[in-house]
Amino acid sequence: IISTENLWKTYQMGEQEVRALSGVSFEVARNEFVAIMGPSGSGKSTIMNLLGCLDTPTKGKYYLNGQLVSSLSENELAYIRNQEIGFVFQVFNLLSRATAFHNVELPLIYKGESKKQREKKVYRALEMVEMLNRKDHRPSELSGGERQRVAIARALANDPSLLLADEPTGNLDSKTGQEILKLFQKIHDRGNTIMMVTHDQNIADLAQRIIHVKDGKIDHT
Amino acid sequence: IISTENLWKTYQMGEQEVRALSGVSFEVARNEFVAIMGPSGSGKSTIMNLLGCLDTPTKGKYYLNGQLVSSLSENELAYIRNQEIGFVFQVFNLLSRATAFHNVELPLIYKGESKKQREKKVYRALEMVEMLNRKDHRPSELSGGERQRVAIARALANDPSLLLADEPTGNLDSKTGQEILKLFQKIHDRGNTIMMVTHDQNIADLAQRIIHVKDGKIDHT
Ligand SMILES: Nc1ncnc2c1ncn2[C@@H]1O[C@H](COP(=O)(O)OP(=O)(O)OP(=O)(O)O)[C@@H](O)[C@H]1O
Ligand SMILES: Nc1ncnc2c1ncn2[C@@H]1O[C@H](COP(=O)(O)OP(=O)(O)OP(=O)(O)O)[C@@H](O)[C@H]1O
Ligand SMILES: [Mg+2]
Ligand SMILES: [Mg+2]
């Protein structure tokens, strides 16, 4: 489902060139559960943003479902992002003026679902992350871990075939974190593909494979 | 140095009253290293915001250095916050338009320090968290863990006598997280007081005492 060839991502900061990724290649088969680990600043989120079609590589190729992503139009990319990919950001990225309910509902509105259908899915997603009793709170009226769980509900509401989760349990206590992982395993058992960045070895051990990233490269040691 | 009596924090959401804290009392002696643990949404950040004089309780008393904080003027509170307290927020709270260097420098500018003195302290603080090579990056040009380290440098630059850290390692890999903890231990060894919220039992074990919070109350079980 995913194949990357020699991905590079560089930023020009004045005179200096910052190399976030320098030649990353890997493949992920359908229905795999892969963890990505590595030190702070090593390029994990950069990889996730490229996989989620939220950013474009400076160099290199990325094939999603056999299609070369760089050759897709903006509309085609938006369609894939909305229909097939669920994204849990490291910084949550919730709309500050919308309630938890509305934040989870938004991707379903873009998909053109009926109000009745949307409400059912939003309720179910908020219930899965135990956030139903805070559905009318806006992000500023929630704790850090509660915001993270709303972001997870938003990514799951659409029942995505590819779930990209960037450190989904960083702000959660271990019990809540374990519950979220059980949720991910259920999604995986339904035949979906999961890629998850984590700093927690206990969580990484639940994946089938770990990709280690260091200084913008895959670490094969 | 810290004494709280029967602290309450409630929010009125329409018809519903949300009780973030319902009667929290505890004391912290000078030069203690205390960890605060508890489930997501249990009230830990609310306690930290009250201790850091960033929020006021709905009910109850808070004494800092023997002074009743609710009786202090806004100027006196701002003075204490700037001179004595270093705060690492759960959501970093960096200025998005300022570089890492300038974010760390800001509290020192408020303190009225000379440019030369400030630069020395900013360099030293960024070096302590290994972020000197990213000093000219703005927050959007940094990874999640790098932003967290800049926020830690900002809290430490002023050599605070009371360090309040709300989940300071949530976005860091375990090696970087351990290095930050060693830094905290050095600050503690110098006679300072540290209160740290964490979800990580390994990190909590480095503290001298753990306060457990559950549903807005201290859990004495
Ligand atoms: N402005 C607000 N309005 C309404 N409820 C709020 C507000 N701020 C916080 N809350 C609620 O108060 C409770 C405690 O929040 P707090 O941020 O202290 O939790 P926490 O223990 O820090 O959790 P986490 O580990 O997830 O960061 C939460 O259930 C939250 O929904
Ligand atoms: N817009 C940008 N401009 C310049 N440098 C950037 C930019 N975005 C990221 N970087 C740099 O690229 C590197 C990789 O960033 P990335 O966010 O992928 O790291 P990460 O592995 O996710 O780290 P963390 O675990 O801390 O979240 C970092 O060193 C960062 O400073
Ligand atoms: Mg990251
Ligand atoms: Mg919190």
Side-chain angles (χ1 to χ4, degrees), chain A residues 200-212:
Chain A
D200 189 329
Q201 189 63 50
N202 297 327
I203 289 178
D205 289 344
L206 295 172
Q208 293 166 322
R209 174 164 65 117
I210 301 177
I211 293 177
H212 291 280

Side-chain angles (χ1 to χ4, degrees), chain A residues 11 40-46 90 199, chain B residues 134 137 141 143-146:
Chain A
Y11 298 99
S40 172
S42 56
K44 305 176 298 297
S45 294
T46 305
Q90 187 171 358
H199 283 311
Chain B
R134 294 278 188 264
H137 287 230
E141 296 164 340
S143 80
E146 290 175 339

Side-chain angles (χ1 to χ4, degrees), chain B residues 96-116:
Chain B
S96 56
R97 287 193 196 140
T99 62
F101 184 93
H102 193 58
N103 265 288
V104 176
E105 188 190 25
L106 212 59
L108 304 177
I109 293 176
Y110 284 134
K111 213 173 173 180
E113 304 221 354
S114 73
K115 183 117 186 95
K116 221 167 136 202

Side-chain angles (χ1 to χ4, degrees), chain A residues 82 93-95 98-110 118-129 131-132 134-135 137 139 142 146-159:
Chain A
N82 188 246
N93 275 0
L94 297 173
L95 290 186
T99 61
F101 184 93
H102 194 56
N103 264 287
V104 176
E105 189 190 22
L106 213 60
L108 304 176
I109 294 176
Y110 285 136
R118 288 192 323 242
E119 275 186 7
K120 209 177 87 189
K121 287 186 178 182
V122 172
Y123 267 84
R124 196 184 60 188
L126 283 173
E127 206 170 13
M128 281 196 294
V129 297
M131 282 300 295
L132 211 48
R134 294 279 188 264
K135 68 177 172 49
H137 286 229
L142 292 171
E146 289 174 341
R147 283 193 289 266
Q148 187 156 41
R149 283 185 277 161
V150 171
I152 292 166
R154 179 181 60 183
L156 302 184
N158 236 349
D159 208 6

Side-chain angles (χ1 to χ4, degrees), chain B residues 1 30 52-53 64-65 67 74-87 106-113 121 154-163 192:
Chain B
I1 185 169
R30 195 169 290 281
C53 304
L64 178 60
N65 282 338
Q67 287 184 297
E74 192 41 56
N75 277 347
E76 285 170 315
L77 274 180
Y79 180 84
I80 288 177
R81 269 197 309 255
N82 189 245
Q83 299 284 332
E84 300 195 15
I85 301 177
F87 207 109
L106 212 59
L108 304 177
I109 293 176
Y110 284 134
K111 213 173 173 180
E113 304 221 354
K121 286 186 178 182
R154 179 181 60 183
L156 301 185
N158 235 348
D159 208 7
S161 56
L162 173 60
L163 178 62
N192 299 303

Side-chain angles (χ1 to χ4, degrees), chain A residues 13 16 18-19 38-42 45 90-92 133-134 136-138 141 143-147 149 167 169-174 176 199, chain B residues 13 16 18-19 38-42 45 90-92 133-134 136-138 141 143-147 149 167 169-174 176 199:
Chain A
M13 305 256 316
Q16 199 196 357
V18 176
R19 291 185 175 176
S40 172
S42 56
S45 294
Q90 187 171 358
V91 283
F92 317 159
N133 68 338
R134 294 279 188 264
D136 298 324
H137 286 229
R138 282 172 301 175
E141 297 164 339
S143 80
E146 289 174 341
R147 283 193 289 266
R149 283 185 277 161
E167 298 194 35
T169 62
N171 275 274
L172 301 175
D173 57 289
S174 49
T176 311
H199 283 311
Chain B
M13 305 260 312
Q16 198 198 357
V18 175
R19 292 185 174 177
S40 171
S42 55
S45 295
Q90 188 171 356
V91 284
F92 317 158
N133 67 338
R134 294 278 188 264
D136 298 324
H137 287 230
R138 284 171 299 175
E141 296 164 340
S143 80
E146 290 175 339
R147 284 192 288 267
R149 284 185 277 160
E167 298 194 33
T169 62
N171 276 273
L172 300 175
D173 57 289
S174 47
T176 310
H199 286 307

